[in-house]
Amino acid sequence: MSGDQRPKDSAEGSSRSGGDHPQLQSAPLSRYESQKRRDWNTFGQYLKNQRPPVSLSQCNCNHVLDFLRYLDQFGKTKVHHHGCVFFGQPDPPAPCTCPLRQAWGSLDALIGRLRAAFEEHGGSAETNPFGNGAIRVYLREVKECQAKARGIPYKKKKKKKTQIRPRDEAKPSMQTA
């Protein structure tokens, strides 16, 4: 018998309600869904570890901001201080003592996943602390700060305007050939 197959236990079959549910439970989650579940569990653990512990119903944007700042200690992105000789240089030639932080893009993606998870766990969009304006302001500040520290500005991508040309101009004329 291979490691993937398990013998069916008669007690196991009787404890389940309906034959279709085990297939749903064993379906592998997508990478996004797995990460969202991990992020949600991590945030829940963070709230439980607060003194006093914070329930999800009591959670607000300040708890989310504290969580994002807490995560900075695990970051891998070097963010130079204004006084650092490498401030504004995208590829510094030597190491420095500036702190490692969470990258803006990672925080932005995290908030997106937690925002979705909150609503999947019964929260309403109107009370979602991850969608609060203070979170968007914080993310914008992190983005701008990191861009300045690295010397690489984040520029909004402008949408390309599609020009509508008259039919006569759209096709090269065969008459001149």
Side-chain angles (χ1 to χ4, degrees):
M1 207 183 271
S2 72
D4 294 338
Q5 296 175 338
R6 285 187 351 214
K8 291 195 177 191
D9 185 8
S10 61
E12 181 181 288
S14 64
S15 66
R16 292 180 179 160
S17 59
D20 293 335
H21 293 292
Q23 292 173 347
L24 292 175
Q25 291 175 349
S26 64
L29 295 175
S30 69
R31 185 170 178 249
Y32 171 80
E33 292 296 329
S34 297
Q35 187 64 53
K36 184 168 57 171
R37 179 184 286 179
R38 267 194 308 274
D39 293 340
W40 182 252
N41 291 338
T42 301
F43 182 70
Q45 193 61 48
Y46 172 81
L47 291 177
K48 286 178 190 172
N49 290 338
Q50 298 304 295
R51 296 289 169 242
V54 178
S55 70
L56 196 57
S57 61
Q58 297 171 321
C59 175
N60 60 38
C61 67
N62 292 324
H63 296 106
V64 176
L65 290 171
D66 290 341
F67 177 65
L68 295 177
R69 291 183 192 109
Y70 159 78
L71 290 177
D72 264 345
Q73 67 183 309
F74 307 109
K76 298 176 185 169
T77 301
K78 179 75 75 168
V79 180
H80 300 287
H81 292 297
H82 285 283
C84 178
V85 294
F86 302 129
F87 183 82
Q89 293 185 23
D91 297 312
C96 67
T97 60
C98 292
L100 293 172
R101 305 251 191 235
Q102 288 289 336
W104 165 78
S106 299
L107 294 176
D108 188 48
L110 170 69
I111 289 298
R113 290 188 301 268
L114 289 173
R115 188 175 183 175
F118 179 84
E119 292 175 19
E120 287 174 10
H121 285 85
S124 72
E126 294 78 29
T127 62
N128 193 331
F130 303 100
N132 188 286
I135 305 300
R136 289 191 297 273
V137 168
Y138 176 79
L139 288 175
R140 188 179 326 119
E141 289 173 355
V142 168
K143 178 180 173 180
E144 291 169 359
C145 172
Q146 290 185 4
K148 287 177 186 172
R150 294 178 60 218
I152 302 172
Y154 283 103
K155 294 181 181 175
K156 270 191 172 179
K157 293 181 181 176
K158 294 183 180 179
K159 292 182 180 177
K160 291 182 180 179
K161 293 182 183 178
T162 55
Q163 291 183 330
I164 301 174
R165 296 184 290 181
R167 286 184 170 231
D168 295 346
E169 293 178 22
K171 296 179 184 175
S173 74
M174 299 279 231
Q175 296 170 354
T176 58

